[in-house]
C-alpha cells in the first residue's frame, strides 16, 4: 500500500498550473473546486451576459399557445430559466404545461426536475444534434414543436425536426451580450498568465475571440484550450485554434479530467 504523501501528490497533479474558467464566479464554484482539489490555481471570469427577450412578440405568441405545443425543446438551462420567467408572467407553472419536454443534456434535465417536471427526452450526446437524433421516431409528422433558444444559435435542430414532418417554431427567448469587462479579461491572457482556459460554451469562446481581435493567435500561443463538449470544441476549431482536450462529460470532474489531459504528459 502506498503511503499518505504519495496519495496526496497523485491527487494534486495540477499543482503549479494556472487555469482560467470562462464562467461567472457565482456559477463557477463547482468547476473551481474540482480544479483546486487537484492543485490548480484557478480564476473565473464572466465573458458574456444573458438578457431576456420575454417581452418580444414571438415569445408572447409562443406563450399564448403554450397548451398547443406537442413538444417544448430546451437547448440550455438558460432557456429553461427564461421560459419559466415568461410563464410566470402569465401565472402559469411549468408543471401544468401539457407538452412533452426535451432537453439537451443532464444539467438541463436536473434543472427541469427542480421545476417539477421530468424530461421526456434527454439528448445523447448532449447537444442539438444529439437531441434531434434522440427525438427521431418520437416526434411525428404534424406535431407542433417549440424550440426555446438564444437569439444566435447553430442551425440543425429545427431543420432535422422539419425533416421528421414536425411544425417547428424556433423562438429566441434571450440574447447573448459581451460582458462589460471583457477587454480586461482578454488582456489578462498575455505574458503567460494561464496554462489552460476552460470554455463552457461556444459563446464563451466566440466572445473572447472577438475581444482578442488580431491579437488572438499571439495571446493564445502556448495556452491549452479545453472545451466542455463537442459543440464548444467545434466553435474553437472554427476559429482556427486547436482544442487540447474535451470533457468526457459536462461535470466538474469531467472538466478537471480534461484539464489534466490537456496539461499533463
Amino acid at each position: 500500500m502506498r503511503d499518505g504523501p504519495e496519495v496526496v501528490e497523485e491527487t494534486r497533479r495540477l499543482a503549479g498550473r494556472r487555469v482560467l474558467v470562462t464562467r461567472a464566479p457565482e456559477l463557477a464554484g463547482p468547476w473551481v473546486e474540482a480544479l483546486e482539489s487537484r492543485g490548480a490555481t484557478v480564476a473565473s471570469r464572466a465573458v458574456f451576459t444573458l438578457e431576456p427577450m420575454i417581452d418580444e412578440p414571438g415569445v408572447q405568441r409562443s406563450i399564448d399557445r403554450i397548451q398547443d405545443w406537442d413538444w417544448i425543446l430546451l437547448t440550455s438551462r438558460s432557456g429553461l430559466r427564461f421560459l419559466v420567467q415568461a410563464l410566470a408572467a402569465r401565472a402559469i407553472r411549468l408543471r401544468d404545461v401539457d407538452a412533452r419536454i426535451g432537453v439537451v443534456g443532464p444539467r438541463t434535465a436536473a434543472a427541469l426536475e427542480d421545476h417539477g417536471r421530468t424530461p421526456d427526452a434527454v439528448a445523447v450526446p448532449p447537444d442539438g444534434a444529439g437531441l434531434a437524433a434522440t427525438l427521431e421516431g418520437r416526434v411525428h409528422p404534424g406535431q407542433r414543436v417549440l424550440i426555446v433558444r438564444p437569439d444566435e444559435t447553430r442551425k440543425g435542430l429545427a431543420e432535422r425536426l422539419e425533416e421528421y414532418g414536425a411544425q417547428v417554431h424556433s423562438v429566441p427567448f434571450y440574447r447573448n451580450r459581451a460582458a462589460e469587462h471583457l477587454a480586461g479579461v482578454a488582456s489578462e491572457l498575455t505574458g503567460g498568465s494561464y496554462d489552460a482556459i476552460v470554455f463552457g460554451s461556444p459563446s464563451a469562446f466566440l466572445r473572447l475571440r472577438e475581444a482578442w481581435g488580431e491579437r488572438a493567435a499571439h495571446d493564445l500561443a502556448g495556452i491549452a484550450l479545453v472545451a466542455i463538449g463537442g459543440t464548444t470544441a467545434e466553435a474553437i476549431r472554427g476559429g482556427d485554434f486547436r482544442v487540447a482536450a474535451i470533457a468526457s462529460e459536462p461535470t466538474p470532474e469531467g472538466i478537471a479530467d480534461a484539464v489534466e489531459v490537456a496539461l499533463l504528459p
Side-chain angles (χ1 to χ4, degrees):
M1 180 181 294
R2 291 173 294 180
D3 58 27
E6 289 177 342
V7 174
V8 171
E9 182 65 26
E10 184 172 305
T11 61
R12 296 182 61 80
R13 287 164 50 83
L14 292 174
R17 303 303 182 108
R18 299 153 300 175
V19 181
L20 175 66
V21 171
T22 57
R23 203 174 203 195
E26 63 270 20
L27 301 174
W31 295 8
V32 172
E33 291 171 9
L35 289 162
E36 288 181 340
S37 72
R38 304 191 189 193
T41 299
V42 187
S44 58
R45 303 283 187 269
V47 296
F48 63 84
T49 61
L50 299 178
E51 299 176 355
M53 298 175 63
I54 58 178
D55 292 328
E56 296 289 334
V59 173
Q60 291 301 307
R61 286 193 295 269
S62 71
I63 301 302
D64 289 340
R65 301 179 57 193
I66 197 64
Q67 296 295 9
D68 294 335
W69 304 112
D70 296 294
W71 284 89
I72 297 174
L73 306 183
L74 304 170
T75 61
S76 69
R77 286 184 296 172
S78 297
L80 170 61
R81 173 159 58 96
F82 292 118
L83 171 64
V84 169
Q85 287 182 15
L87 291 172
R90 304 280 192 92
I92 302 170
R93 298 181 303 177
L94 185 59
R95 68 182 64 184
D96 296 327
V97 173
D98 292 335
R100 295 181 178 181
I101 300 180
V103 301
V104 79
R107 293 183 301 164
T108 308
L112 182 64
E113 300 243 3
D114 290 339
H115 289 282
R117 288 292 300 265
T118 298
D120 297 280
V122 180
V124 179
D127 55 28
L131 185 54
T134 300
L135 290 171
E136 186 170 7
R138 303 182 66 183
V139 170
H140 304 297
Q143 287 192 318
R144 294 155 295 190
V145 179
L146 171 65
I147 300 177
V148 176
R149 62 169 179 85
D151 62 337
E152 297 178 3
T153 190
R154 296 174 61 85
K155 295 182 179 179
L157 176 58
E159 289 80 355
R160 185 76 177 275
L161 295 172
E162 288 172 349
E163 291 176 3
Y164 301 159
Q167 299 177 25
V168 181
H169 295 259
S170 182
V171 179
F173 272 63
Y174 59 102
R175 60 173 60 92
N176 181 300
R177 293 286 182 264
E180 291 183 4
H181 59 280
L182 184 56
V185 177
S187 68
E188 287 185 42
L189 300 171
T190 60
S193 301
Y194 296 100
D195 299 296
I197 306 174
V198 176
F199 292 101
S201 68
S203 296
F205 171 77
L206 295 173
R207 290 302 179 194
L208 267 181
R209 179 67 179 82
E210 291 172 3
W212 283 314
E214 295 181 356
R215 305 192 325 268
H218 176 270
D219 290 353
L220 290 179
I223 302 178
L225 307 185
V226 177
I228 193 173
T231 303
T232 302
E234 287 181 20
I236 296 171
R237 295 189 185 108
D240 294 326
F241 291 94
R242 176 180 174 273
V243 178
I246 304 173
S248 60
E249 55 183 6
T251 63
E253 290 304 312
I255 290 167
D257 288 343
V259 172
E260 285 197 3
V261 168
L263 295 181
L264 301 179

